[in-house]
Amino acid sequence: MKAIILAAGRGTRVQPITHSIPKPMIPVVNKPVMAFLVELLKQHGFDQIMVNTSYLAPAIESYFGDGRRFGVDISYSFEGYLDDERIVDAPLGSAGALKKIQRHSGFFDEPFIVMCGDAIIDLDLTALMDFHLSRGALATLALAQVPREEVASYGVAVTYPNGRILQFQEKPAVAEALSTTVNTGIYVFDPALLDWIPENGAYDIGSQLFPALVAAGEALYGATLPFQWLDIGRIADYHRVMQMALSGEINGYTPPGREIAPGIRVGLNVRFDPATCNIEGPVYIAGSATVEPGCTLIGPLMVGPGALLESGARVEKSVIFDYTRVGGLANLSGMMVSGKYCADTTGTVIDPRASDIGWVIADARAPRSEPGDYQRLILESLA
Amino acid sequence: MNLHIEASGNRTPVVVLSSANLDAGNIRDFREAVEPILADHDNLILDMEQVTFVDSSGLGALLACLRLLQGKHGDLTLCALTKPVKALFDLVRMNRVFQVYPTREAALLGLSAS
């Protein structure tokens, strides 16, 4: 059976993480978000998977390859062009992506699954497909309930009791929302639906295609199947999903590494003696990382591959990405940190180079710089 | 660098730092502007409401002011840190060194109470 994963977005609301990695490749501990989706598709027999790529396309294409490692076939529909050896992204929108593939080969010749590459789900795709086929729908949307105060981030759907969709509201104000049932971006489409997408140009499923279909009286259905839906729309969502993953709260997912003490997991080649640190799990120290004696680690916490926590560092409920050096003076709480940035869940970002704080946060592979006069003054004050 | 003193109706004057940055590019100006104020007072409140970027030189310059006042048995109190500046302060534990209040009013109240 066939599916498409939409993977062309820029992920601007998840910056700065998405400056260097496309959203589908955002790591949930050790695994890109999209890998969860490929595994779910495979589990439900969807083994012919198209992926539309654009922004930072090579990162996705080189990780998933032809899909064989995942037991599926994967191919990519690239949206953009090469300009002087540089890939320029020119995404076509979610609906435009489907149209491009259909025009290219007529790939979609049976009802197929559509999903966004930026959410972790455990939806019963078999049940969703059964629902779709039993209704004879042109499109079936997996719906979910959200708290009313969050509706403004989503497309709201109003349905009849049998699931048929009466109306959509794209990102309505809280006061104007007609329901708290929202579109999760997971669909089953009948190939006939592709006839509704313009031949060329950018076109969006949620804000353009669906409203047009509803206005024309086409059979759109919403299925409210219970499932875990962890959307990584904003940086705060990413932090929350990481906290859940490290705590073992994502269905079907166990954090990696070997458990050396309750709540403490380590990868290979880690230099770390838990007896010398103050630790509250869950903590995951990835391969080849170093945690010097005298650190305080409060979970849920990940110390990424090759990272270095220097003696005295205090790190709490944070994500330390690969090859990050965290100096002994650092106090990190609720942060996502790499050698290039230190971001909190509200979108505040510290650039360690611009702020000249390489003595606190840096790339572990870069040579250490000698502290200047002012830095010495700071170090003395904190000593 | 524009530093102006506002009378607080209390013994501790409030100095407003009217610059978006306090960094390597302007700490020389800051030092020159703050020097006479430091000479005239033992205790100061520095209102940081307008400052959205501080680098390690800026932190160092603030610490130098603190040391000078502490040398006179006074203190430098900071208030109204913007989010990015507060994030940097938290990161390098400056809250262990400076008294920091969320608002100017809280700083004035806090100082008059102590």
Side-chain angles (χ1 to χ4, degrees):
Chain A
M1 292 190 291
K2 297 182 174 180
I4 175 165
I5 299 175
L6 301 169
R10 285 192 150 231
T12 45
R13 290 181 305 152
V14 200
Q15 283 172 354
I17 296 171
T18 45
H19 279 314
S20 52
I21 42 177
K23 218 159 127 182
M25 293 303 293
I26 289 179
V28 174
V29 192
N30 58 330
K31 190 163 143 182
V33 174
M34 198 177 118
F36 286 82
L37 301 177
V38 171
E39 288 173 6
L40 181 74
L41 287 166
K42 156 78 179 165
Q43 189 191 327
H44 287 275
F46 297 89
D47 55 0
Q48 297 179 55
I49 304 171
M50 283 301 303
V51 179
N52 73 317
T53 56
S54 187
Y55 177 64
L56 301 176
I60 298 172
E61 296 170 9
S62 60
Y63 184 88
F64 290 95
D66 62 3
R68 188 173 304 177
R69 190 156 55 91
F70 296 87
V72 296
D73 283 322
I74 294 179
S75 186
Y76 305 92
S77 175
F78 173 67
E79 298 167 11
Y81 55 93
L82 199 64
D83 177 26
D84 197 16
E85 306 285 312
R86 220 179 97 249
I87 286 178
V88 180
D89 57 322
L92 296 171
S94 48
L98 304 185
K99 192 70 175 188
K100 182 183 176 200
I101 294 165
Q102 195 66 346
R103 286 179 42 164
H104 187 77
S105 72
F107 174 76
F108 301 113
D109 55 2
E110 60 183 34
F112 59 100
I113 296 277
V114 180
M115 51 174 60
C116 297
D118 56 4
I120 293 178
I121 56 170
D122 66 347
L123 178 64
D124 184 341
L125 298 175
T126 305
L128 186 70
M129 182 59 85
D130 289 347
F131 178 102
H132 175 85
L133 297 174
S134 71
R135 300 295 194 282
L138 186 63
T140 297
L141 291 66
L143 302 177
Q145 295 295 328
V146 297
R148 177 161 276 276
E149 61 273 17
E150 290 176 17
V151 289
S153 305
Y154 298 103
V156 166
V158 182
T159 60
Y160 292 109
N162 71 347
R164 182 143 181 178
I165 291 172
L166 172 69
Q167 192 182 342
F168 282 108
Q169 292 177 291
E170 188 68 9
K171 300 183 174 138
V174 171
E176 283 156 23
L178 297 172
S179 82
T180 54
T181 306
V182 304
N183 175 3
T184 61
I186 307 157
Y187 318 117
V188 182
F189 283 175
D190 187 273
L193 174 140
L194 299 168
D195 297 339
W196 289 82
I197 303 172
E199 287 291 317
N200 291 298
Y203 202 65
D204 184 64
I205 292 173
S207 63
Q208 293 176 291
L209 178 61
F210 285 160
L213 292 171
V214 168
E218 289 293 326
L220 261 62
Y221 282 82
T224 310
L225 302 165
F227 69 107
Q228 191 176 41
W229 175 41
L230 304 171
D231 175 38
I232 302 181
R234 295 158 303 154
I235 188 146
D237 297 327
Y238 176 64
H239 185 260
R240 185 175 62 93
V241 167
M242 280 297 288
Q243 297 285 296
M244 290 178 70
L246 292 162
S247 306
E249 292 168 7
I250 294 181
N251 293 343
Y253 176 78
T254 306
R258 193 166 49 91
E259 191 163 34
I260 55 168
I264 305 173
R265 305 184 74 92
V266 298
L268 297 180
N269 188 35
V270 164
R271 187 188 295 175
F272 166 53
D273 177 359
T276 63
C277 293
N278 173 22
I279 309 176
E280 282 174 35
V283 169
Y284 169 60
I285 318 281
S288 300
T290 303
V291 178
E292 292 182 353
C295 290
T296 298
L297 313 177
I298 311 287
L301 169 71
M302 175 175 103
V303 178
L308 165 62
L309 301 193
E310 293 180 340
S311 188
R314 185 182 183 286
V315 188
E316 176 180 6
K317 298 188 194 319
S318 292
V319 180
I320 312 298
F321 287 112
D322 321 9
Y323 296 115
T324 307
R325 180 167 74 227
V326 178
L329 288 175
N331 169 43
L332 296 165
S333 181
M335 298 296 235
M336 290 149 279
V337 186
S338 79
K340 291 197 177 75
Y341 58 81
C342 180
D344 73 8
T345 56
T346 68
T348 300
V349 179
I350 297 170
D351 176 338
R353 281 175 295 185
S355 300
D356 189 24
I357 53 161
W359 40 283
V360 188
I361 303 289
D363 191 303
R365 297 164 293 188
R368 275 164 207 272
S369 52
E370 284 300 308
D373 290 346
Y374 280 119
Q375 289 161 6
R376 266 197 295 275
L377 187 57
I378 297 166
L379 300 176
E380 277 170 37
S381 303
L382 290 165
Chain B
M1 174 70 57
N2 183 10
L3 288 179
H4 64 274
I5 303 183
E6 295 182 6
S8 63
N10 141 329
R11 280 175 309 173
T12 310
V14 177
V15 179
V16 179
L17 179 49
S18 344
S19 167
N21 297 349
L22 183 61
D23 58 22
N26 67 358
I27 45 160
R28 193 181 293 261
D29 297 345
F30 172 74
R31 279 203 313 250
E32 281 172 14
V34 82
E35 219 162 77
I37 303 173
L38 294 172
D40 288 350
H41 300 277
D42 295 344
N43 286 288
L44 288 175
I45 296 171
L46 187 61
D47 186 325
M48 306 271 289
E49 192 181 31
Q50 295 174 42
V51 184
T52 53
F53 179 76
V54 174
D55 70 359
S56 74
S57 308
L59 285 177
L62 293 173
L63 280 169
C65 294
L66 176 72
R67 289 207 160 178
L68 199 147
L69 293 178
Q70 286 178 338
K72 299 196 285 180
H73 305 290
D75 202 1
L76 176 67
T77 301
L78 306 179
C79 69
L81 269 54
T82 58
K83 267 172 60 175
V85 174
K86 181 169 186 308
L88 184 71
F89 267 61
D90 290 344
L91 173 63
V92 298
R93 310 191 202 203
M94 280 292 134
N95 46 0
R96 288 204 326 217
V97 182
F98 287 101
Q99 283 222 69
V100 180
Y101 287 92
T103 62
R104 185 194 294 199
E105 292 69 31
L108 289 167
L109 266 175
L111 289 187
S112 58
S114 62

